[in-house]
Amino acid sequence: MIQEEIVKGDLLYHAVHGVCRVDEVSKEKESGKQVLRYSLVPKVANQMKARFIITAVDMEASGFHEPVSLKEANKILNYLKVEHKTVTPPVVTSKAVAPVAWQNRAWGMAQAILTFSHEKFEAQDQRKRQSLERSAKGLVGELAFVFKSTLKETAARVQKSLGNTSKINPLVLVALTHAGED
């Protein structure tokens, strides 16, 4: 599916790479078909001067998506509150990708953090710990961008939404602390 809605200058978010700007949009022939390609540049430049070239059909799988709105960000913080833990997060659609499972998006990361915060698992469970770390870093980063605040302030807001720290899995608190480091 070609996604004509993404244009040069749009901002997309990735849980690992952060905010990226669409630098170029091009149509090229690949295997006899016209393919739309996006060139994405991280908003925060690093030493490697990274650039991501992604075709429209691979956009969904790549993890890049339109950042949530301010309204959605506030809904996510409300969702994290203990009294809302039985609420199912909505499937969010954006102009960047078609509706999909939202593991790489803010709602999916929020659900993972909420699940981990009330689950008792050990630090030795490396897959769960890595998933938690990625979710915390991704959610805090995206919400910090949306709220225009620091990572540390946003991590504190997420932790506050989760409620009483004595009832939260300590590994979640550690993950949020790490996510709040600049």
Side-chain angles (χ1 to χ4, degrees), residues 71-91:
K71 184 178 178 180
E72 283 294 310
N74 283 313
K75 284 182 182 179
I76 288 169
L77 290 178
N78 284 334
Y79 168 74
L80 291 173
K81 292 182 179 173
V82 175
E83 63 265 21
H84 292 96
K85 71 180 179 182
T86 58
V87 175
T88 303
V91 174

Side-chain angles (χ1 to χ4, degrees), residues 2 19-20 27 32 36 40 42-43 50 53 56 59 65 69-70 74 80 100 112 123-124 131 135 152 155 175 180:
I2 294 180
V19 179
C20 292
K27 286 185 180 179
L36 197 56
L40 307 173
K43 195 132 163 81
I53 309 294
M59 186 63 77
H65 60 276
S69 67
L70 187 58
N74 283 313
L80 291 173
V100 294
Q124 292 86 2
S131 177
S135 294
K152 188 173 185 174

Side-chain angles (χ1 to χ4, degrees), residues 138-153:
L139 182 66
V140 168
E142 186 165 353
L143 294 182
F145 172 71
V146 172
F147 290 133
K148 295 178 175 64
S149 64
T150 67
L151 294 174
K152 188 173 185 174
E153 292 168 343

